[in-house]
Amino acid sequence: MNGSNLSVIEARYHDSVNVLQALTAPAAAAPFDRAEWYALLAETGLTPLIAIASDAEHTAALALTQEGGRIAPLRNWYSFTWRQLAPEGEAGDRLLEAIARQLKTRGHRVTLEPVPGEDGSAERLARAFRAAGWRVAVETCDTNHILEVRGRSFAEYWSRRPGPLRTTLKRKANKVVTEVLTRFDPAVWAEYEAIYAASWKPAEDQPAMLRAFAQSEGAAGRLRLGVARAEGIAVAAQCWTVENGVAYIHKLAHLESHKSLSAGTTLSAALFAHVIDIDKVDLVDFGTGDQRYKADWMEAVRPRFRIDCLDLGQPAAWAPLAKRLLRGAGASPAATLARARRHG
């Protein structure tokens, strides 16, 4: 089907996330691909700009938001990734190119992040925007630590952890009692919120959204809510979910006042054991961020990409282009992605 069969892209605001319900999620859908996730984001006050292209058989969309002529993903810091919602193959590529072309009428700059590269999303989006006439730069913006289980049991996985981590668990495991729930429990969630508020972590940006997400994941059977208690007091808590063979580590916190118990280590081990031996996941995803402790638990890293697109037909794009060129960020997107694949 050629481009003349594409419908005019619709750009809507606020409750337009409802249109995403009709789209088919990617084959390896993550929590952040679902219409329900975007609805939660909209409820936090973000204003959606859902760009859609359709032909007679297919529909593709980008869930975006816009401010001051600059367009960005509809996301917040709870989102591990952001990517296109589009069918695979040439049909989807044409629709994405049509969206990219139409977005020139909405703003001079589109910045997409954090986009995964291992599934081809970063390369696909960069190609679509280049084909639509945007000046595109691709760069690594974050790191994703993962564990590929490869059929191992928890015992086999644990035997390969760093010695100090295994020693800590051996010495401290009997100091706390752990529990892993597969449903939402308001009392346990209240314990999590109290622990998080008293921990070293920054204040939650959208606690109501996170609670609503945990409730919906619990109702769907995807929630893994862990808590560790010492003498009946909740001292560590974690929120994970499991979906399509992947365990996602969303949140974890412990009380600094009980740091000597290493309750976070003991609770993490209990959750890893649960998702590996009971849920039989293929992969554990530790989200974004290159914190040193993640390397003790995970065995590989993947890059997350920023795709920065400028429409040079609009004078507002000239200043950011000059800044990009000055800092040397105008390298070939294909070359950047190729380097990332070699190191990821």
mmCIF file of all heavy atoms in Angstrom, residues 88-134:
data_model
loop_
_atom_site.group_PDB
_atom_site.id
_atom_site.type_symbol
_atom_site.label_atom_id
_atom_site.label_comp_id
_atom_site.label_asym_id
_atom_site.label_seq_id
_atom_site.Cartn_x
_atom_site.Cartn_y
_atom_site.Cartn_z
ATOM 1 N N GLU A 88 4.896 -4.717 12.920
ATOM 2 C CA GLU A 88 6.215 -4.989 12.355
ATOM 3 C C GLU A 88 6.175 -4.913 10.836
ATOM 4 O O GLU A 88 5.126 -5.020 10.213
ATOM 5 C CB GLU A 88 6.709 -6.372 12.787
ATOM 6 C CG GLU A 88 6.909 -6.520 14.288
ATOM 7 C CD GLU A 88 7.984 -5.603 14.827
ATOM 8 O OE1 GLU A 88 8.974 -5.357 14.098
ATOM 9 O OE2 GLU A 88 7.851 -5.134 15.960
ATOM 10 N N GLY A 89 7.340 -4.738 10.236
ATOM 11 C CA GLY A 89 7.448 -4.808 8.788
ATOM 12 C C GLY A 89 7.223 -3.479 8.073
ATOM 13 O O GLY A 89 7.110 -2.416 8.695
ATOM 14 N N GLU A 90 7.147 -3.578 6.752
ATOM 15 C CA GLU A 90 7.073 -2.381 5.919
ATOM 16 C C GLU A 90 5.820 -1.562 6.171
ATOM 17 O O GLU A 90 5.848 -0.327 6.110
ATOM 18 C CB GLU A 90 7.158 -2.781 4.440
ATOM 19 C CG GLU A 90 8.504 -3.360 4.034
ATOM 20 C CD GLU A 90 8.574 -3.674 2.554
ATOM 21 O OE1 GLU A 90 7.600 -3.343 1.833
ATOM 22 O OE2 GLU A 90 9.586 -4.233 2.118
ATOM 23 N N ALA A 91 4.708 -2.225 6.442
ATOM 24 C CA ALA A 91 3.466 -1.487 6.687
ATOM 25 C C ALA A 91 3.623 -0.563 7.891
ATOM 26 O O ALA A 91 3.271 0.620 7.839
ATOM 27 C CB ALA A 91 2.306 -2.454 6.910
ATOM 28 N N GLY A 92 4.180 -1.076 8.958
ATOM 29 C CA GLY A 92 4.404 -0.255 10.139
ATOM 30 C C GLY A 92 5.416 0.842 9.886
ATOM 31 O O GLY A 92 5.260 1.968 10.386
ATOM 32 N N ASP A 93 6.457 0.544 9.116
ATOM 33 C CA ASP A 93 7.466 1.552 8.806
ATOM 34 C C ASP A 93 6.856 2.724 8.046
ATOM 35 O O ASP A 93 7.187 3.887 8.304
ATOM 36 C CB ASP A 93 8.600 0.924 7.974
ATOM 37 C CG ASP A 93 9.441 -0.053 8.783
ATOM 38 O OD1 ASP A 93 9.348 -0.034 10.026
ATOM 39 O OD2 ASP A 93 10.189 -0.828 8.160
ATOM 40 N N ARG A 94 5.968 2.432 7.100
ATOM 41 C CA ARG A 94 5.320 3.509 6.339
ATOM 42 C C ARG A 94 4.457 4.376 7.249
ATOM 43 O O ARG A 94 4.425 5.604 7.109
ATOM 44 C CB ARG A 94 4.475 2.923 5.200
ATOM 45 C CG ARG A 94 5.283 2.375 4.041
ATOM 46 C CD ARG A 94 4.398 2.119 2.837
ATOM 47 N NE ARG A 94 3.392 1.105 3.110
ATOM 48 C CZ ARG A 94 3.560 -0.194 2.886
ATOM 49 N NH1 ARG A 94 4.702 -0.636 2.415
ATOM 50 N NH2 ARG A 94 2.589 -1.061 3.152
ATOM 51 N N LEU A 95 3.763 3.738 8.171
ATOM 52 C CA LEU A 95 2.913 4.490 9.079
ATOM 53 C C LEU A 95 3.750 5.373 10.006
ATOM 54 O O LEU A 95 3.390 6.524 10.277
ATOM 55 C CB LEU A 95 2.048 3.531 9.899
ATOM 56 C CG LEU A 95 1.022 2.710 9.104
ATOM 57 C CD1 LEU A 95 0.380 1.663 9.997
ATOM 58 C CD2 LEU A 95 -0.045 3.616 8.502
ATOM 59 N N LEU A 96 4.876 4.848 10.485
ATOM 60 C CA LEU A 96 5.745 5.647 11.342
ATOM 61 C C LEU A 96 6.326 6.834 10.586
ATOM 62 O O LEU A 96 6.437 7.945 11.133
ATOM 63 C CB LEU A 96 6.870 4.777 11.902
ATOM 64 C CG LEU A 96 6.443 3.723 12.929
ATOM 65 C CD1 LEU A 96 7.614 2.807 13.271
ATOM 66 C CD2 LEU A 96 5.893 4.383 14.194
ATOM 67 N N GLU A 97 6.683 6.636 9.337
ATOM 68 C CA GLU A 97 7.189 7.745 8.529
ATOM 69 C C GLU A 97 6.111 8.811 8.338
ATOM 70 O O GLU A 97 6.382 10.013 8.382
ATOM 71 C CB GLU A 97 7.669 7.235 7.173
ATOM 72 C CG GLU A 97 8.246 8.335 6.293
ATOM 73 C CD GLU A 97 8.688 7.824 4.925
ATOM 74 O OE1 GLU A 97 8.977 6.614 4.800
ATOM 75 O OE2 GLU A 97 8.730 8.646 3.987
ATOM 76 N N ALA A 98 4.866 8.367 8.137
ATOM 77 C CA ALA A 98 3.766 9.324 7.983
ATOM 78 C C ALA A 98 3.552 10.128 9.269
ATOM 79 O O ALA A 98 3.302 11.336 9.234
ATOM 80 C CB ALA A 98 2.490 8.582 7.611
ATOM 81 N N ILE A 99 3.647 9.461 10.408
ATOM 82 C CA ILE A 99 3.530 10.172 11.681
ATOM 83 C C ILE A 99 4.651 11.197 11.810
ATOM 84 O O ILE A 99 4.421 12.359 12.185
ATOM 85 C CB ILE A 99 3.568 9.179 12.855
ATOM 86 C CG1 ILE A 99 2.300 8.324 12.887
ATOM 87 C CG2 ILE A 99 3.734 9.917 14.178
ATOM 88 C CD1 ILE A 99 2.327 7.208 13.914
ATOM 89 N N ALA A 100 5.883 10.773 11.513
ATOM 90 C CA ALA A 100 7.026 11.675 11.623
ATOM 91 C C ALA A 100 6.856 12.891 10.726
ATOM 92 O O ALA A 100 7.171 14.028 11.123
ATOM 93 C CB ALA A 100 8.309 10.925 11.275
ATOM 94 N N ARG A 101 6.364 12.698 9.540
ATOM 95 C CA ARG A 101 6.169 13.818 8.614
ATOM 96 C C ARG A 101 5.092 14.764 9.130
ATOM 97 O O ARG A 101 5.251 15.989 9.113
ATOM 98 C CB ARG A 101 5.799 13.283 7.231
ATOM 99 C CG ARG A 101 5.695 14.354 6.155
ATOM 100 C CD ARG A 101 5.508 13.751 4.775
ATOM 101 N NE ARG A 101 6.698 13.004 4.368
ATOM 102 C CZ ARG A 101 6.772 11.676 4.313
ATOM 103 N NH1 ARG A 101 5.717 10.939 4.642
ATOM 104 N NH2 ARG A 101 7.874 11.082 3.935
ATOM 105 N N GLN A 102 4.004 14.215 9.646
ATOM 106 C CA GLN A 102 2.905 15.039 10.132
ATOM 107 C C GLN A 102 3.297 15.829 11.387
ATOM 108 O O GLN A 102 2.792 16.930 11.613
ATOM 109 C CB GLN A 102 1.694 14.152 10.429
ATOM 110 C CG GLN A 102 0.447 14.900 10.883
ATOM 111 C CD GLN A 102 -0.181 15.748 9.791
ATOM 112 O OE1 GLN A 102 0.172 15.607 8.619
ATOM 113 N NE2 GLN A 102 -1.075 16.632 10.180
ATOM 114 N N LEU A 103 4.216 15.286 12.170
ATOM 115 C CA LEU A 103 4.603 15.965 13.402
ATOM 116 C C LEU A 103 5.308 17.299 13.148
ATOM 117 O O LEU A 103 5.407 18.135 14.059
ATOM 118 C CB LEU A 103 5.503 15.057 14.249
ATOM 119 C CG LEU A 103 4.771 13.966 15.041
ATOM 120 C CD1 LEU A 103 5.765 13.005 15.683
ATOM 121 C CD2 LEU A 103 3.859 14.569 16.108
ATOM 122 N N LYS A 104 5.774 17.521 11.949
ATOM 123 C CA LYS A 104 6.369 18.821 11.630
ATOM 124 C C LYS A 104 5.353 19.943 11.778
ATOM 125 O O LYS A 104 5.727 21.099 11.987
ATOM 126 C CB LYS A 104 6.932 18.811 10.206
ATOM 127 C CG LYS A 104 8.170 17.956 10.037
ATOM 128 C CD LYS A 104 8.700 18.075 8.613
ATOM 129 C CE LYS A 104 9.966 17.266 8.425
ATOM 130 N NZ LYS A 104 10.510 17.403 7.056
ATOM 131 N N THR A 105 4.079 19.630 11.670
ATOM 132 C CA THR A 105 3.051 20.654 11.835
ATOM 133 C C THR A 105 2.785 20.961 13.302
ATOM 134 O O THR A 105 2.059 21.914 13.611
ATOM 135 C CB THR A 105 1.731 20.215 11.179
ATOM 136 O OG1 THR A 105 1.186 19.088 11.894
ATOM 137 C CG2 THR A 105 1.947 19.828 9.726
ATOM 138 N N ARG A 106 3.370 20.157 14.197
ATOM 139 C CA ARG A 106 3.121 20.333 15.625
ATOM 140 C C ARG A 106 4.300 20.941 16.377
ATOM 141 O O ARG A 106 4.135 21.452 17.481
ATOM 142 C CB ARG A 106 2.765 18.983 16.267
ATOM 143 C CG ARG A 106 1.575 18.286 15.656
ATOM 144 C CD ARG A 106 0.330 19.147 15.664
ATOM 145 N NE ARG A 106 -0.023 19.604 16.989
ATOM 146 C CZ ARG A 106 -1.158 19.275 17.612
ATOM 147 N NH1 ARG A 106 -2.036 18.492 17.018
ATOM 148 N NH2 ARG A 106 -1.408 19.743 18.814
ATOM 149 N N GLY A 107 5.501 20.854 15.830
ATOM 150 C CA GLY A 107 6.647 21.391 16.541
ATOM 151 C C GLY A 107 7.922 21.242 15.739
ATOM 152 O O GLY A 107 7.966 20.538 14.726
ATOM 153 N N HIS A 108 8.984 21.917 16.220
ATOM 154 C CA HIS A 108 10.255 21.923 15.494
ATOM 155 C C HIS A 108 11.216 20.857 15.985
ATOM 156 O O HIS A 108 12.243 20.606 15.352
ATOM 157 C CB HIS A 108 10.932 23.284 15.643
ATOM 158 C CG HIS A 108 11.406 23.566 17.056
ATOM 159 N ND1 HIS A 108 10.572 24.033 18.050
ATOM 160 C CD2 HIS A 108 12.635 23.428 17.639
ATOM 161 C CE1 HIS A 108 11.250 24.183 19.171
ATOM 162 N NE2 HIS A 108 12.498 23.815 18.958
ATOM 163 N N ARG A 109 10.880 20.213 17.134
ATOM 164 C CA ARG A 109 11.824 19.248 17.713
ATOM 165 C C ARG A 109 11.063 18.102 18.351
ATOM 166 O O ARG A 109 10.097 18.308 19.078
ATOM 167 C CB ARG A 109 12.691 19.941 18.754
ATOM 168 C CG ARG A 109 13.851 19.101 19.267
ATOM 169 C CD ARG A 109 14.745 19.930 20.179
ATOM 170 N NE ARG A 109 16.002 19.259 20.479
ATOM 171 C CZ ARG A 109 16.977 19.788 21.208
ATOM 172 N NH1 ARG A 109 16.835 21.019 21.704
ATOM 173 N NH2 ARG A 109 18.102 19.114 21.444
ATOM 174 N N VAL A 110 11.523 16.888 18.072
ATOM 175 C CA VAL A 110 10.980 15.682 18.696
ATOM 176 C C VAL A 110 12.155 14.944 19.324
ATOM 177 O O VAL A 110 13.111 14.587 18.637
ATOM 178 C CB VAL A 110 10.272 14.778 17.666
ATOM 179 C CG1 VAL A 110 9.749 13.515 18.345
ATOM 180 C CG2 VAL A 110 9.138 15.525 16.973
ATOM 181 N N THR A 111 12.081 14.708 20.624
ATOM 182 C CA THR A 111 13.150 13.997 21.335
ATOM 183 C C THR A 111 12.557 12.764 21.989
ATOM 184 O O THR A 111 11.713 12.870 22.883
ATOM 185 C CB THR A 111 13.805 14.902 22.391
ATOM 186 O OG1 THR A 111 14.252 16.112 21.767
ATOM 187 C CG2 THR A 111 14.992 14.192 23.028
ATOM 188 N N LEU A 112 12.993 11.600 21.533
ATOM 189 C CA LEU A 112 12.436 10.326 21.978
ATOM 190 C C LEU A 112 13.451 9.600 22.850
ATOM 191 O O LEU A 112 14.571 9.321 22.416
ATOM 192 C CB LEU A 112 12.068 9.467 20.761
ATOM 193 C CG LEU A 112 11.181 10.156 19.710
ATOM 194 C CD1 LEU A 112 10.998 9.242 18.494
ATOM 195 C CD2 LEU A 112 9.834 10.544 20.306
ATOM 196 N N GLU A 113 13.043 9.250 24.086
ATOM 197 C CA GLU A 113 13.925 8.535 25.009
ATOM 198 C C GLU A 113 13.108 7.980 26.180
ATOM 199 O O GLU A 113 12.010 8.495 26.436
ATOM 200 C CB GLU A 113 15.017 9.474 25.533
ATOM 201 C CG GLU A 113 14.472 10.660 26.322
ATOM 202 C CD GLU A 113 15.564 11.568 26.862
ATOM 203 O OE1 GLU A 113 16.670 11.075 27.161
ATOM 204 O OE2 GLU A 113 15.299 12.764 27.007
ATOM 205 N N PRO A 114 13.601 6.948 26.842
ATOM 206 C CA PRO A 114 14.733 6.070 26.517
ATOM 207 C C PRO A 114 14.246 4.930 25.622
ATOM 208 O O PRO A 114 13.417 4.115 26.019
ATOM 209 C CB PRO A 114 15.163 5.565 27.890
ATOM 210 C CG PRO A 114 13.884 5.564 28.695
ATOM 211 C CD PRO A 114 13.003 6.632 28.135
ATOM 212 N N VAL A 115 14.751 4.865 24.426
ATOM 213 C CA VAL A 115 14.288 3.903 23.425
ATOM 214 C C VAL A 115 15.202 2.676 23.441
ATOM 215 O O VAL A 115 16.426 2.816 23.417
ATOM 216 C CB VAL A 115 14.286 4.532 22.024
ATOM 217 C CG1 VAL A 115 13.785 3.529 20.987
ATOM 218 C CG2 VAL A 115 13.423 5.791 22.003
ATOM 219 N N PRO A 116 14.637 1.467 23.485
ATOM 220 C CA PRO A 116 15.487 0.265 23.435
ATOM 221 C C PRO A 116 16.067 0.053 22.047
ATOM 222 O O PRO A 116 15.481 0.464 21.040
ATOM 223 C CB PRO A 116 14.517 -0.859 23.807
ATOM 224 C CG PRO A 116 13.172 -0.356 23.399
ATOM 225 C CD PRO A 116 13.206 1.129 23.611
ATOM 226 N N GLY A 117 17.215 -0.599 22.002
ATOM 227 C CA GLY A 117 17.836 -0.908 20.726
ATOM 228 C C GLY A 117 17.789 -2.383 20.380
ATOM 229 O O GLY A 117 17.813 -2.760 19.209
ATOM 230 N N GLU A 118 17.688 -3.255 21.413
ATOM 231 C CA GLU A 118 17.784 -4.692 21.164
ATOM 232 C C GLU A 118 16.630 -5.230 20.345
ATOM 233 O O GLU A 118 16.753 -6.280 19.692
ATOM 234 C CB GLU A 118 17.893 -5.454 22.495
ATOM 235 C CG GLU A 118 16.662 -5.375 23.392
ATOM 236 C CD GLU A 118 16.620 -4.138 24.263
ATOM 237 O OE1 GLU A 118 17.565 -3.311 24.196
ATOM 238 O OE2 GLU A 118 15.648 -4.001 25.027
ATOM 239 N N ASP A 119 15.479 -4.549 20.340
ATOM 240 C CA ASP A 119 14.333 -4.994 19.549
ATOM 241 C C ASP A 119 14.210 -4.245 18.230
ATOM 242 O O ASP A 119 13.236 -4.426 17.496
ATOM 243 C CB ASP A 119 13.039 -4.835 20.356
ATOM 244 C CG ASP A 119 12.703 -3.378 20.639
ATOM 245 O OD1 ASP A 119 13.588 -2.509 20.438
ATOM 246 O OD2 ASP A 119 11.559 -3.096 21.053
ATOM 247 N N GLY A 120 15.189 -3.395 17.912
ATOM 248 C CA GLY A 120 15.173 -2.638 16.661
ATOM 249 C C GLY A 120 14.428 -1.323 16.731
ATOM 250 O O GLY A 120 14.378 -0.589 15.735
ATOM 251 N N SER A 121 13.868 -0.971 17.893
ATOM 252 C CA SER A 121 13.051 0.240 17.983
ATOM 253 C C SER A 121 13.839 1.509 17.674
ATOM 254 O O SER A 121 13.363 2.386 16.945
ATOM 255 C CB SER A 121 12.423 0.352 19.371
ATOM 256 O OG SER A 121 11.420 -0.610 19.564
ATOM 257 N N ALA A 122 15.031 1.641 18.251
ATOM 258 C CA ALA A 122 15.798 2.864 18.051
ATOM 259 C C ALA A 122 16.152 3.053 16.580
ATOM 260 O O ALA A 122 16.000 4.145 16.015
ATOM 261 C CB ALA A 122 17.060 2.836 18.907
ATOM 262 N N GLU A 123 16.615 1.999 15.945
ATOM 263 C CA GLU A 123 16.974 2.082 14.535
ATOM 264 C C GLU A 123 15.746 2.374 13.673
ATOM 265 O O GLU A 123 15.798 3.177 12.732
ATOM 266 C CB GLU A 123 17.638 0.779 14.100
ATOM 267 C CG GLU A 123 18.263 0.840 12.722
ATOM 268 C CD GLU A 123 19.148 -0.356 12.444
ATOM 269 O OE1 GLU A 123 19.225 -1.260 13.301
ATOM 270 O OE2 GLU A 123 19.766 -0.377 11.367
ATOM 271 N N ARG A 124 14.635 1.757 14.020
ATOM 272 C CA ARG A 124 13.400 1.930 13.242
ATOM 273 C C ARG A 124 12.880 3.363 13.335
ATOM 274 O O ARG A 124 12.488 3.958 12.332
ATOM 275 C CB ARG A 124 12.362 0.943 13.753
ATOM 276 C CG ARG A 124 11.156 0.794 12.877
ATOM 277 C CD ARG A 124 10.179 -0.195 13.460
ATOM 278 N NE ARG A 124 9.129 -0.526 12.525
ATOM 279 C CZ ARG A 124 7.989 -1.116 12.857
ATOM 280 N NH1 ARG A 124 7.762 -1.458 14.114
ATOM 281 N NH2 ARG A 124 7.083 -1.372 11.939
ATOM 282 N N LEU A 125 12.865 3.921 14.534
ATOM 283 C CA LEU A 125 12.370 5.282 14.706
ATOM 284 C C LEU A 125 13.302 6.295 14.052
ATOM 285 O O LEU A 125 12.847 7.246 13.409
ATOM 286 C CB LEU A 125 12.205 5.589 16.190
ATOM 287 C CG LEU A 125 10.984 4.948 16.854
ATOM 288 C CD1 LEU A 125 11.110 4.991 18.369
ATOM 289 C CD2 LEU A 125 9.705 5.625 16.398
ATOM 290 N N ALA A 126 14.601 6.100 14.204
ATOM 291 C CA ALA A 126 15.548 7.013 13.569
ATOM 292 C C ALA A 126 15.378 6.992 12.052
ATOM 293 O O ALA A 126 15.386 8.041 11.395
ATOM 294 C CB ALA A 126 16.975 6.623 13.955
ATOM 295 N N ARG A 127 15.177 5.817 11.506
ATOM 296 C CA ARG A 127 14.993 5.691 10.052
ATOM 297 C C ARG A 127 13.720 6.390 9.592
ATOM 298 O O ARG A 127 13.703 7.078 8.573
ATOM 299 C CB ARG A 127 14.962 4.204 9.677
ATOM 300 C CG ARG A 127 14.890 3.948 8.172
ATOM 301 C CD ARG A 127 15.070 2.467 7.853
ATOM 302 N NE ARG A 127 14.011 1.650 8.427
ATOM 303 C CZ ARG A 127 14.207 0.729 9.377
ATOM 304 N NH1 ARG A 127 15.421 0.520 9.866
ATOM 305 N NH2 ARG A 127 13.199 0.014 9.845
ATOM 306 N N ALA A 128 12.640 6.236 10.352
ATOM 307 C CA ALA A 128 11.371 6.854 9.982
ATOM 308 C C ALA A 128 11.467 8.375 9.979
ATOM 309 O O ALA A 128 10.978 9.049 9.054
ATOM 310 C CB ALA A 128 10.269 6.401 10.938
ATOM 311 N N PHE A 129 12.117 8.938 10.998
ATOM 312 C CA PHE A 129 12.223 10.396 11.069
ATOM 313 C C PHE A 129 13.196 10.939 10.019
ATOM 314 O O PHE A 129 12.957 12.018 9.456
ATOM 315 C CB PHE A 129 12.614 10.836 12.484
ATOM 316 C CG PHE A 129 11.433 10.934 13.410
ATOM 317 C CD1 PHE A 129 10.924 9.802 14.044
ATOM 318 C CD2 PHE A 129 10.815 12.148 13.640
ATOM 319 C CE1 PHE A 129 9.823 9.886 14.888
ATOM 320 C CE2 PHE A 129 9.710 12.250 14.472
ATOM 321 C CZ PHE A 129 9.205 11.120 15.102
ATOM 322 N N ARG A 130 14.260 10.213 9.728
ATOM 323 C CA ARG A 130 15.150 10.651 8.650
ATOM 324 C C ARG A 130 14.410 10.661 7.320
ATOM 325 O O ARG A 130 14.529 11.609 6.538
ATOM 326 C CB ARG A 130 16.370 9.726 8.563
ATOM 327 C CG ARG A 130 17.376 9.902 9.688
ATOM 328 C CD ARG A 130 18.746 9.321 9.298
ATOM 329 N NE ARG A 130 18.650 7.957 8.796
ATOM 330 C CZ ARG A 130 18.696 6.872 9.546
ATOM 331 N NH1 ARG A 130 18.804 6.984 10.863
ATOM 332 N NH2 ARG A 130 18.629 5.676 9.015
ATOM 333 N N ALA A 131 13.653 9.598 7.068
ATOM 334 C CA ALA A 131 12.923 9.510 5.806
ATOM 335 C C ALA A 131 11.894 10.626 5.674
ATOM 336 O O ALA A 131 11.555 11.042 4.552
ATOM 337 C CB ALA A 131 12.234 8.147 5.693
ATOM 338 N N ALA A 132 11.392 11.121 6.812
ATOM 339 C CA ALA A 132 10.408 12.201 6.796
ATOM 340 C C ALA A 132 11.054 13.578 6.738
ATOM 341 O O ALA A 132 10.348 14.594 6.754
ATOM 342 C CB ALA A 132 9.524 12.104 8.036
ATOM 343 N N GLY A 133 12.380 13.614 6.655
ATOM 344 C CA GLY A 133 13.067 14.886 6.454
ATOM 345 C C GLY A 133 13.590 15.562 7.704
ATOM 346 O O GLY A 133 14.057 16.701 7.639
ATOM 347 N N TRP A 134 13.561 14.881 8.842
ATOM 348 C CA TRP A 134 14.105 15.454 10.061
ATOM 349 C C TRP A 134 15.623 15.266 10.101
ATOM 350 O O TRP A 134 16.155 14.295 9.547
ATOM 351 C CB TRP A 134 13.509 14.783 11.293
ATOM 352 C CG TRP A 134 12.039 15.000 11.491
ATOM 353 C CD1 TRP A 134 11.020 14.341 10.861
ATOM 354 C CD2 TRP A 134 11.421 15.920 12.399
ATOM 355 N NE1 TRP A 134 9.798 14.793 11.313
ATOM 356 C CE2 TRP A 134 10.013 15.762 12.266
ATOM 357 C CE3 TRP A 134 11.903 16.844 13.320
ATOM 358 C CZ2 TRP A 134 9.107 16.506 13.010
ATOM 359 C CZ3 TRP A 134 11.004 17.586 14.064
ATOM 360 C CH2 TRP A 134 9.623 17.423 13.907
#
